[in-house]
Amino acid sequence: MLQEEFKRLTDKPFTDEEFEKIHYVYIFYPGIVTQADIALIWAIGGIRLIEDMLPTARKIDEAEQRVRAARTRHETAKEHLNAVLSGETEAYPTTTEEIMVRR
């Protein structure tokens, strides 16, 4: 969501710093589905409500980052397994430590 899009949804003014927080909550807070949702939250509670929601949004962001990292590790391990099964072991590390170092 761009600042201009958000401005069209609310009459309540906001700073660039406030918009960064608004946008972060919009992206990561569970249950916020539409731009209208975040505009209503901003209209009702302003920056105080947005800041109250930030810790939960950060937890979701961090959890999603851990999931992405785990998927990457899984794909690397799967590639290694397929290489071993096909006899192409020289191109791939042989231990978990080597796999993690090559990342």
Side-chain angles (χ1 to χ4, degrees), residues 1 22-29 32-35 38:
M1 171 176 60
I22 292 164
H23 188 260
Y24 190 84
V25 168
Y26 168 66
I27 295 298
F28 293 107
Y29 197 87
I32 296 179
V33 179
T34 68
Q35 293 176 353
I38 195 69

Side-chain angles (χ1 to χ4, degrees), residues 24 28 56-66 68:
Y24 190 84
F28 293 107
T56 300
R58 285 187 186 109
K59 287 178 185 176
I60 298 298
D61 183 15
E62 291 166 7
E64 288 178 357
Q65 288 178 31
R66 285 193 300 274
R68 283 190 299 275

Side-chain angles (χ1 to χ4, degrees), residues 2-12 14 19:
L2 302 173
Q3 279 193 25
E4 293 304 315
E5 293 172 317
F6 190 66
K7 282 180 186 176
R8 286 192 294 268
L9 296 171
T10 184
D11 295 329
K12 189 172 186 166
F14 54 89
F19 181 75

